[in-house]
């Protein structure tokens, strides 16, 4: 993975553009032309401090927020020499600018006045010092110092004249971008976990106690460039989304991760204005690094709408929540009243069930344990949620109140029970299970069939008997039929074949609706009974043996097998769509969008009447 350059001897670099999504509203405004970096606000918010290699050498500049727009923007060059002057930081009292320079052969911390005068070297040693940031009272400077002859950086602090240098944190990791909170009680920084450049995480250090708190939990993902908002309520940072970086914000306690920027290119090095209303950051598109400014979202800000993904898509696609950093947010299930969406996420380190309020964006964690809780489903009256969990040692079907309280194991069987769905009257649950499969180790031991559980007396009835998989059962709105996915083995074990079937519950008659699909799953009836939605990798290009995130798209079909329509056009890896679920009014379909290593929740506007399209 190509990481942002953290060693200053290297040129500034970010990841190449591979992701396309929607720009925030209002869109960021470009202030500069290529290769301008490390922007930061002046204390009064009237000027922007930054570094640039536009002259052929890295120097430090000041400009006003109008930048290089048509109406002009004054630019002042503060340093003039043949060395590398970088990473400027303005003191909160406005009197000084700290920066780093390699004037003595390695990078040291310097200080100067805002007009470029009185340039003084503050550190003197034979190792690199980087990322100087001021304390809130402007009396001291926090910086990162390299451990001699090692690829490690510690966190240090010193007086503004270079005196009283103290080490605040030493371990066996590379620690960087250390910034003190506005109240002076905490320092946020990024840490290469186990000194692994592919696993940067955001941490907070309590100054008084030395206690460390980890805010992000994302293996093989780089989280970095943290900075505080002026009120100390948020930390803004950059994280990988697919193959690019985007800005996120998080509470100092690690809660409420939200993505802030979308659009093309990699976004990094954020700086929030003194009044908290705007945010500066770098955007790298095709190795052109610019400084952009955008409005900083209010606390109630929701994700912005995305543009249609493809002109031939039957429904427009919009995000329903901000993607959470490097996590899997999956299986969205809207409540009957449309006010909230239940979903599964591994943002806490393991799979748990959450809900999000669609109006406010407020997220609630509903399950809290070390097990895997998965595939939630609201009851028809919205008072309860079904889910599957292995908290008893194997997967069973569980039920809890919609607020997460009073969880009850409904099946409590030694076999595995999966993928529950309520009947329309809420009195029964359909699920698939291997409870009648041949013994482990024998042929067919992984067979899955459909079962119906009657909630009143917990009696279970076997619905299908098939020598492979019958899964993703879904009742029709009138409760007389069940749609499901039936798979068959193929010569290639990595690409089994599956199609949509419907069974009439009274007669047991089964009707096959799709033919020749490589794989079909996530079947569900529409509330009107006019459509069945499902996901398929029919046009997929990804070898399942090489990835867990396949190239799926979402389709609808009539219960009689007509009007097969493809709703999304992911266009191939790393973007695909799966796990669809209709809203209660049938006008929207909630689904997962896969972007590289991430999954987020999206909603597809479903017109109800669509033109059939097989591709």
């Amino acid at each position: 993975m190509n990481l942002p350059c953290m060693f200053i001897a290297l040129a500034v670099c970010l990841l190449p553009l591979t992701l396309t999504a929607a720009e925030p509203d209002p869109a960021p405004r470009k202030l500069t032309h290529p290769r301008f970096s490390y922007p930061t606000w002046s204390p009064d918010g009237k000027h922007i401090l930054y570094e640039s290699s536009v002259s052929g050498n890295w120097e430090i500049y000041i400009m006003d927020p109008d930048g290089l727009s048509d109406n002009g923007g004054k630019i002042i060059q503060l340093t003039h020499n043949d060395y590398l002057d970088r990473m400027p930081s303005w003191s909160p009292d406005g009197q000084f600018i700290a920066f780093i320079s390699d004037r003595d052969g390695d990078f040291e911390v310097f200080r100067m006045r805002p007009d470029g005068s009185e340039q003084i070297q503050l550190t003197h040693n034979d190792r690199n010092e980087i990322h100087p940031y001021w304390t809130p009272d402007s009396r001291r400077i926090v910086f990162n110092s390299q451990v001699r002859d090692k690829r490690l950086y510690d966190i240090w602090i010193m007086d503004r004249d270079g005196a009283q240098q103290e080490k605040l944190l030493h371990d066996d990791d590379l620690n960087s971008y250390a910034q003190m909170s506005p109240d002076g009680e905490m320092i946020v920084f990024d840490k290469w976990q186990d000194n692994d450049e592919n696993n940067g995480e955001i941490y907070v250090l309590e100054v008084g106690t030395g206690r460390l708190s980890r805010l992000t939990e994302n293996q093989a993902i780089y989280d970095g460039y943290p900075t505080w908002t002026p009120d100390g309520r948020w930390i803004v940072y950059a994280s990988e989304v697919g193959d690019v970086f985007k800005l996120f914000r998080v509470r100092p306690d690690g809660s409420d991760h939200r993505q802030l920027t979308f659009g093309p290119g990699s976004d990094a090095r954020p700086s929030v204005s003194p009044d908290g209303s705007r945010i500066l950051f770098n955007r790298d598109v095709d190795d052109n690094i610019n400084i952009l400014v955008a409005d900083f979202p209010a606390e109630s800000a929701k994700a912005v709408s995305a543009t249609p993904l493809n002109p031939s898509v039957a429904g427009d696609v919009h995000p329903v929540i901000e993607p959470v950093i490097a996590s899997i947010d999956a299986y969205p299930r809207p409540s009957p009243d449309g006010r909230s969406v239940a979903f599964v996420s591994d943002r806490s380190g393991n799979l748990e069930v959450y809900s999000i309020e669609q109006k406010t964006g407020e997220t609630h964690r509903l399950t809290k344990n070390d097990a895997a809780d998965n595939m939630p489903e609201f009851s028809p009256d919205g008072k309860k949620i079904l889910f599957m969990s292995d908290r008893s040692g194997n997967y069973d079907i569980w039920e809890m109140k919609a607020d997460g309280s009073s969880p009850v194991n409904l099946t409590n069987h030694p076999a595995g029970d999966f993928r529950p769905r309520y009947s329309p009257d809420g009195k029964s649950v359909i699920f698939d299970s291997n409870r009648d499969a041949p013994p482990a180790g024998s042929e067919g031991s992984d067979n899955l069939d459909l079962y119906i559980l009657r909630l009143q007396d917990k009696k279970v009835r076997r619905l299908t008997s098939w020598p492979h998989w019958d899964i993703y059962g879904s009742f029709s709105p009138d409760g007389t039929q069940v749609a499901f996915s039936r798979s068959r083995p193929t010569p290639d074990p990595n690409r089994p074949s599956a199609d949509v079937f419907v069974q009439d519950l009274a007669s047991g008659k089964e009707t096959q609706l799709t033919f020749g699909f490589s794989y079909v799953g996530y079947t569900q009836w529409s509330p009107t009974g006019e459509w069945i939605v499902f996901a398929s990798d029919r046009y997929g290009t990804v070898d399942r043996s090489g990835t867990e995130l396949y190239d799926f798209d979402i389709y609808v079909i009539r219960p009689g097998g007509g009007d097969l329509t493809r709703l999304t056009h992911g266009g191939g890896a790393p973007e695909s769509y799966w796990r669809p679920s209709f809203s209660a009014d049938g006008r929207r379909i909630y689904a997962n969008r896969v972007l590289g290593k991430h999954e987020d929740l999206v909603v597809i506007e479903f017109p109800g009447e669509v033109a059939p399209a097989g591709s």
Side-chain angles (χ1 to χ4, degrees):
M1 181 184 65
N2 179 21
L3 282 175
C5 293
M6 302 190 66
F7 296 108
I8 310 306
L10 301 178
V12 175
C13 64
L14 283 171
L15 297 179
L17 168 66
T18 60
L19 171 65
T20 57
E23 290 279 350
D25 185 16
R29 179 163 51 92
K30 186 171 72 173
L31 299 182
T32 60
H33 294 298
R35 305 212 71 81
F36 295 74
S37 187
Y38 283 94
T40 184
W41 295 93
S42 63
D44 60 8
K46 296 180 179 179
H47 305 284
I48 295 171
L49 183 66
Y50 66 100
E51 64 177 33
S52 176
S53 63
V54 67
S55 65
N57 182 50
W58 286 101
E59 305 284 3
I60 296 174
Y61 298 80
I62 291 177
M63 67 176 173
D64 66 30
D66 287 331
L68 297 179
S69 58
D70 292 337
N71 61 0
K74 186 177 180 181
I75 291 179
I76 301 173
Q77 183 173 344
L78 301 184
T79 60
H80 305 77
N81 55 67
D82 295 329
Y83 300 100
L84 302 179
D85 298 329
R86 305 200 59 183
M87 297 185 172
S89 172
W90 217 313
S91 63
D93 62 9
Q95 295 188 38
F96 294 102
I97 292 172
F99 64 101
I100 66 170
S101 179
D102 65 350
R103 302 176 190 187
D104 72 349
D106 57 81
F107 280 98
E108 304 287 351
V109 178
F110 285 70
R111 189 192 74 187
M112 64 180 170
R113 293 290 184 179
D115 61 1
S117 64
E118 299 181 23
Q119 296 187 20
I120 301 172
Q121 185 172 342
L122 301 181
T123 60
H124 304 265
N125 52 61
D126 58 355
R127 59 186 184 270
N128 290 316
E129 269 84 34
I130 58 176
H131 305 141
Y133 291 100
W134 295 86
T135 58
D137 59 8
S138 300
R139 295 179 178 179
R140 311 199 79 190
I141 298 172
V142 179
F143 63 99
N144 299 111
S145 181
Q146 185 180 12
V147 178
R148 186 176 287 107
D149 300 325
K150 293 184 180 180
R151 194 181 66 164
L152 305 176
Y153 278 79
D154 295 329
I155 299 176
W156 287 68
I157 191 170
M158 64 180 172
D159 293 345
R160 63 196 289 172
D161 62 0
Q164 300 296 323
Q165 296 187 17
E166 305 171 45
K167 186 187 299 182
L168 298 180
L169 177 67
H170 169 73
D171 55 24
D172 293 329
D173 293 327
L174 192 156
N175 305 293
S176 59
Y177 294 98
Q179 294 189 41
M180 188 170 284
S181 60
D183 61 8
E185 295 182 357
M186 295 180 286
I187 292 176
V188 68
F189 63 100
D190 64 49
K191 171 191 287 290
W192 287 9
Q193 288 294 115
D194 301 320
N195 205 25
D196 180 1
E197 64 184 21
N198 294 316
N199 187 20
E201 303 288 357
I202 306 299
Y203 278 76
V204 166
L205 169 69
E206 291 183 7
V207 176
T209 65
R211 178 176 176 268
L212 284 178
S213 299
R214 183 173 175 175
L215 305 190
T216 60
E217 298 273 354
N218 306 298
Q219 295 295 324
I221 294 293
Y222 181 80
D223 302 327
Y225 310 106
T227 189
W228 295 90
T229 57
D231 58 9
R233 300 178 64 191
W234 295 99
I235 294 167
V236 182
Y237 65 99
S239 179
E240 290 177 275
V241 178
D243 290 330
V244 295
F245 281 79
K246 291 298 166 188
L247 299 186
F248 290 74
R249 69 181 185 185
V250 63
R251 297 287 189 186
D253 63 1
S255 65
D256 205 4
H257 293 261
R258 298 190 181 189
Q259 187 171 346
L260 299 178
T261 63
F262 300 84
S266 282
D267 301 334
R269 305 182 182 95
S271 175
V272 182
S273 62
D275 64 1
S277 68
R278 293 177 293 173
I279 184 169
L280 289 170
F281 57 96
N282 280 136
R283 173 164 290 175
D284 183 347
V285 179
D286 296 332
D287 203 32
N288 290 329
I289 303 174
N290 288 282
I291 298 173
L292 281 76
V293 61
D295 289 342
F296 187 70
E299 186 167 334
S300 60
K302 298 177 67 176
V304 297
S305 295
T307 55
L309 299 172
N310 188 295
S312 61
V313 175
D316 292 350
V317 180
H318 309 280
V320 65
I321 68 170
E322 296 89 339
V324 176
I325 162 75
S327 68
I328 303 298
D329 293 338
Y331 292 103
R333 294 294 182 263
S335 62
D337 60 11
R339 295 180 180 179
S340 62
V341 177
F343 66 99
V344 172
S345 179
D346 65 352
R347 61 183 69 186
S348 65
N350 63 299
L351 290 176
E352 302 282 5
V353 178
Y354 293 76
S355 68
I356 182 169
E357 304 297 325
Q358 295 207 70
K359 185 175 182 180
T360 65
E362 184 177 359
T363 301
H364 307 279
R365 182 174 173 180
L366 302 183
T367 62
K368 297 180 181 180
N369 55 74
D370 295 330
D373 300 327
N374 209 340
M375 305 189 76
E377 175 82 10
F378 276 102
S379 62
D381 62 8
K383 295 181 179 180
K384 294 183 178 181
I385 293 177
L386 280 175
F387 63 101
M388 67 184 217
S389 176
D390 65 354
R391 61 181 70 183
S392 62
N394 60 278
Y395 274 104
D396 285 307
I397 307 305
W398 290 68
E399 186 181 55
M400 62 183 172
K401 292 183 179 180
D403 62 2
S405 64
S406 304
V408 177
N409 189 338
L410 298 180
T411 56
N412 198 21
H413 194 277
D417 299 328
F418 313 96
R419 290 169 278 270
R421 288 272 180 86
Y422 282 104
S423 61
D425 59 9
K427 296 180 179 180
S428 299
V429 173
I430 189 170
F431 63 98
D432 53 81
S433 175
N434 62 0
R435 57 179 60 195
D436 290 311
S442 59
E443 184 177 357
S445 60
D446 62 346
N447 288 357
L448 293 167
D449 287 303
L450 293 176
Y451 297 79
I452 293 179
L453 166 70
R454 192 165 61 187
L455 293 176
Q456 182 179 7
D457 54 14
K458 301 299 187 293
K459 288 186 176 181
V460 176
R461 175 169 68 97
R462 186 175 182 180
L463 189 63
T464 65
S465 179
W466 178 253
H468 204 48
W469 287 4
D470 286 342
I471 57 178
Y472 295 109
S474 173
F475 286 100
S476 61
D478 61 8
T480 63
Q481 301 178 83
V482 169
F484 61 97
S485 168
R486 169 167 288 174
S487 62
R488 298 173 299 281
T490 66
D492 181 0
N494 292 315
R495 293 189 72 84
S497 176
D499 283 294
V500 178
F501 281 72
V502 168
Q503 182 185 114
D504 181 82
L505 293 178
S507 66
K509 178 183 177 182
E510 293 179 349
T511 303
Q512 184 173 348
L513 303 188
T514 64
F515 299 85
F517 276 63
S518 57
Y519 185 78
V520 161
Y522 315 104
T523 47
Q524 189 199 26
W525 289 82
S526 69
T528 62
E530 298 178 351
W531 296 97
I532 295 171
V533 67
F534 63 94
S536 175
D537 64 348
R538 182 177 189 178
Y539 299 98
T541 58
V542 178
D543 182 1
R544 292 186 182 208
S545 63
T547 180
E548 294 181 356
L549 300 178
Y550 316 144
D551 183 11
F552 277 81
D553 276 301
I554 294 173
Y555 298 75
V556 290
I557 194 171
R558 297 290 188 182
D563 292 345
L564 174 64
T565 304
R566 183 179 179 183
L567 295 183
T568 63
H569 291 66
E575 181 175 305
S576 63
Y577 296 84
W578 60 354
R579 301 180 179 132
S581 179
F582 272 105
S583 62
D585 60 9
R587 299 173 60 184
R588 292 171 294 173
I589 296 172
Y590 291 80
N592 278 129
R593 174 177 57 184
V594 179
L595 294 170
K597 301 174 184 177
H598 300 256
E599 293 190 49
D600 56 13
L601 310 185
V602 298
V603 60
I604 303 167
E605 302 296 337
F606 182 64
E609 295 297 329
V610 295
S615 61

